[in-house]
């Protein structure tokens, strides 16, 4: 029943009005997004107060590697159905290779690895070879999309290697979503509402081990637990983060597209925007925190 209600709110555009806007935080974030040379959207939800910020939150953006969070859901759905086992032994084949700097891609043909470690590589290292292998094991993009649609996610879809979605792939790449939907998926996983409570807890723990922590995560003290997944292609940089903050958990998702700055340097404009947004949200919810990231951290 909850999923049907959520779907109706999204479809009718009433979801935003069902939550209260945090006007002060909106006023801090809106100028940051407006100054970006490209298009940016953000969704923020403070779980304790229920207050939100939504700026272009229902606009469709590329997911880049954030779609790996949905692929993980697809894998756990198959685990629930009994077609996969979490620690089953898999055999790597050279035909699975996705060219790049992936760890799994360095494996020898016929080398074995357990499924749980492939999931770890997909989420922690954002390993593309691991991700595409898991997408196939989950039944393919069409199967994952069926789950998403059935659980109220109107816009979030896997495009790559998915029949009938070649046109969407040309526009958005591997996957597409909105800041609100990606933030909501993370929140539902945290609350134990995806697949099962036990599956959600395992998925959430997996998402707390992100190697790529130089943007929004860098703006949160290292002793505060976070779960996250980020994505990056030339013209789009993005991040979904849930922070177990001292004064209440909060989730946010920021996505950019059509970025003028497509460099892969650390001072890329979109990556700087992700850091500014992450910092503004943390300081808004934790105004008495004296912690600030060490300026020298950027060199590592």
């Amino acid at each position: 029943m909850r999923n049907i209600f959520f779907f109706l709110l999204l479809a009718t555009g009433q979801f935003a009005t069902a939550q209260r806007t945090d006007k002060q935080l909106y006023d801090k974030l809106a100028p940051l997004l407006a100054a970006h040379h490209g298009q940016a959207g953000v969704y923020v939800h403070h779980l304790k107060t229920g207050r939100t910020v939504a700026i272009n939150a229902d606009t469709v953006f590329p997911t880049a590697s954030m779609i790996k969070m949905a692929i993980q859901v697809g894998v756990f759905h198959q685990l629930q159905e009994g077609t996969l086992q979490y620690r089953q032994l898999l055999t790597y084949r050279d035909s699975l290779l996705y060219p790049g700097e992936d760890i799994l891609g360095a494996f020898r043909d016929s080398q074995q690895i357990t499924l749980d470690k492939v999931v770890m590589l997909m989420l922690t290292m954002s390993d593309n070879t691991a991700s595409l292998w898991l997408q196939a094991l989950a039944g393919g993009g069409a199967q994952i999309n069926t789950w998403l649609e059935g659980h109220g996610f109107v816009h979030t879809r896997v495009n790559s290697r998915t029949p009938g979605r070649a046109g969407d792939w040309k526009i958005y790449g591997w996957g597409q979503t909105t800041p609100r939907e990606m933030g909501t998926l993370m929140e539902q996983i945290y609350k134990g509402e995806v697949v099962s409570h036990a599956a959600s807890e395992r998925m959430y723990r997996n998402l707390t081990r992100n190697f790529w922590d130089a943007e929004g995560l860098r703006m949160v003290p290292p002793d505060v637990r976070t779960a996250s997944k980020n994505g990056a292609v030339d013209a789009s940089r993005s991040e979904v983060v849930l922070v177990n903050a001292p004064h209440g958990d909060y989730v946010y998702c920021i996505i950019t597209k059509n970025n003028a700055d497509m460099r892969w340097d650390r001072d890329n404009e979109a990556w700087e925007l992700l850091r500014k947004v992450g910092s503004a949200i943390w300081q808004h919810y934790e105004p008495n925190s004296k912690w600030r990231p060490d300026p020298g951290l950027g060199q590592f």
Side-chain angles (χ1 to χ4, degrees), residues 16 43 70 85 129 142 173 190 196 202 205 237 251 285 291 293:
Y43 172 71
Q85 300 297 318
T129 299
Y190 176 56
S196 70
R202 180 69 269 165
R205 288 179 181 273
R237 313 292 160 98
V251 63
Y285 290 135
W291 179 89

Side-chain angles (χ1 to χ4, degrees), residues 3-4 22 49 84 101 166 168 172 182 184 220 235 242 256 263 268:
N3 287 328
I4 294 174
D22 187 327
T49 66
L84 295 174
E101 299 180 359
D168 298 283
Y172 298 107
M182 191 56 65
T184 299
V220 176
L242 197 146
T256 66
R263 296 172 303 130
N268 171 277

